[in-house]
Amino acid sequence: MATKVYVVYYSMYGHVAKLAEEIKKGAASVEGVEVTLWQVPETLSEDVLGKMGAPPKSDVPIITPSELTEADGVLFGFPTRFGMMAAQFKAFMDATGGLWRTQALAGKPAGIFYSTGSQGGGQETTPLTAITQLVHHGMIFVPIGYTFGAGMFEMEKVKGGSPYGSGTYAGDGSRQPSKLELEQAFHQGKYFAGITKKFKATA
């Protein structure tokens, strides 16, 4: 039976969505792994989103909390708001209380990826504060560490991400994920899928 990896994200301007797509490609490159992209529900009205200049949402399906139980491993992605996950994603996690009560997600591998507006905008605080959500569910956090190799030590170019997970910088919104950031996202997907597959085989 295939190992199921879910990539669940919220993306307002598309930066996190691009990382999610690369993560999916990386995870799908592992034999025997089935990957599904999901979005969490939007909490803002179309009117407010229009005033913020947010583009239309993609056709990636919206996930419900109960569907998380179907995955063998989950990668969560979101933009940063003041050094923490965006409210839309927090609202989704707040809706998982029933799963927490039964510990339905306990023992499942989980990873994190993210986008921030600036270099001091939360590339480490965002995943660090998000880990609390995983801990209460009993999920097993899988960071990428320094497994991305030389790409983790890039100093000549701006590059998002950290040992916690892949990331990008959105700046004023016009900057898009770089080639190196997308490569790191692909690596995270592949690395996470490999670990999830091994974990399932020994569970």
Side-chain angles (χ1 to χ4, degrees), residues 147-166:
T147 60
F148 187 48
M152 295 296 294
F153 300 93
E154 174 59 49
M155 296 294 288
E156 300 302 317
K157 300 175 183 178
V158 173
K159 185 194 78 67
S162 70
Y164 292 92
S166 58

Side-chain angles (χ1 to χ4, degrees), residues 74 105-111 134-135 137-143 192 199:
V74 187
L105 302 179
K108 291 182 184 291
L134 311 183
V135 169
H137 277 290
M139 302 184 86
I140 301 170
F141 178 52
V142 181
F192 181 83
F199 192 81

Side-chain angles (χ1 to χ4, degrees), residues 40-157:
V40 302
E42 178 59 78
T43 60
L44 298 177
S45 68
E46 290 296 329
D47 182 55
V48 171
L49 289 170
K51 290 177 180 178
M52 296 176 71
K57 298 295 183 186
S58 71
D59 58 0
V60 170
I62 304 296
I63 194 170
T64 60
S66 62
E67 287 172 304
L68 289 173
T69 63
E70 301 167 2
D72 295 306
V74 187
L75 281 155
F76 298 108
F78 33 78
T80 300
R81 300 292 184 265
F82 303 111
M84 297 183 288
M85 68 169 63
Q88 289 88 340
F89 207 92
K90 182 59 167 63
F92 173 75
M93 295 305 295
D94 286 349
T96 63
L99 301 180
W100 162 79
R101 193 176 301 110
T102 59
Q103 286 294 285
L105 302 179
K108 291 182 184 291
I112 296 170
F113 60 103
Y114 45 86
S115 172
T116 70
S118 64
Q119 293 188 60
Q123 288 283 315
E124 289 204 6
T125 62
T126 301
L128 182 61
T129 54
I131 289 173
T132 60
Q133 312 296 308
L134 311 183
V135 169
H136 282 263
H137 277 290
M139 302 184 86
I140 301 170
F141 178 52
V142 181
I144 60 172
Y146 283 82
T147 60
F148 187 48
M152 295 296 294
F153 300 93
E154 174 59 49
M155 296 294 288
E156 300 302 317
K157 300 175 183 178

